């Protein structure tokens, strides 16, 4: 894990997501009420995993594309800042994408 800041799960996410965070399968289903940290934990985990796995890219899908900018894109940018790795990422609005600079990995919307 080069060029990364190692942070503890409890420090960044809080409690209750250890199993979700450490799950290594292809698909994850997470249930919870409004305000239960599903989106924030997923954004943090996505950024962390992309830095951990240099061959991984991410595709974020929503029913309506224009909603990405104010939701998923904003959440992922927040996660990058929260993990204190802004210097390693580049976010562009046109085309809407986020790139991990050390490897060129992309998050596409």
């Amino acid at each position: 894990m080069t060029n990364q800041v190692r942070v503890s799960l409890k420090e960044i996410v809080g409690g209750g997501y250890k199993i979700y965070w450490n799950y290594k399968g292809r698909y994850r289903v997470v249930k919870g009420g409004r305000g239960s940290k599903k989106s924030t934990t997923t954004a943090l985990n996505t950024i962390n995993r992309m830095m951990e796995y240099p061959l991984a890219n991410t595709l974020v899908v929503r029913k309506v594309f224009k909603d990405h900018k104010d939701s998923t894109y904003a959440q992922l940018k927040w996660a990058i800042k929260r993990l204190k790795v802004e210097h390693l990422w580049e976010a562009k609005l046109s085309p809407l994408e986020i790139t991990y600079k050390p490897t060129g990995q992309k998050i596409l919307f």
Side-chain angles (χ1 to χ4, degrees):
M1 294 179 65
T2 59
N3 297 327
Q4 283 191 58
V5 175
R6 221 16 165 168
V7 287
S8 85
L9 177 61
K10 282 213 181 237
E11 243 176 63
I12 298 296
V13 180
Y17 278 89
K18 185 175 182 176
I19 293 170
Y20 175 82
W21 189 272
N22 293 317
Y23 183 72
K24 299 294 184 198
R26 178 174 276 193
Y27 303 105
R28 287 184 281 186
V29 175
V30 60
K31 297 178 182 181
R34 188 177 197 161
S36 63
K37 304 185 298 189
K38 298 179 303 288
S39 296
T40 56
T41 303
T42 299
L44 290 164
N45 189 261
T46 298
I47 298 303
N48 187 67
R49 290 242 176 134
M50 285 189 69
M51 293 189 304
E52 189 175 346
Y53 298 102
L55 298 177
N57 290 288
T58 300
L59 176 64
V60 183
V61 180
R62 282 188 67 107
K63 186 175 181 179
V64 179
F65 178 78
K66 68 180 180 79
D67 293 339
H68 278 298
K69 186 175 161 246
D70 296 325
S71 61
T72 54
Y73 177 80
Q75 193 81 54
L76 287 161
K77 281 183 58 179
W78 170 87
I80 290 166
K81 187 174 182 177
R82 180 80 170 108
L83 292 169
K84 297 179 170 96
V85 291
E86 303 102 299
H87 62 288
L88 299 174
W89 293 85
E90 178 184 7
K92 293 193 314 187
L93 288 171
S94 184
L96 196 63
E97 66 182 26
I98 302 174
T99 305
Y100 184 48
K101 293 179 195 177
T103 60
Q105 293 163 268
K106 294 199 181 284
I107 299 174
L108 302 172
F109 301 83

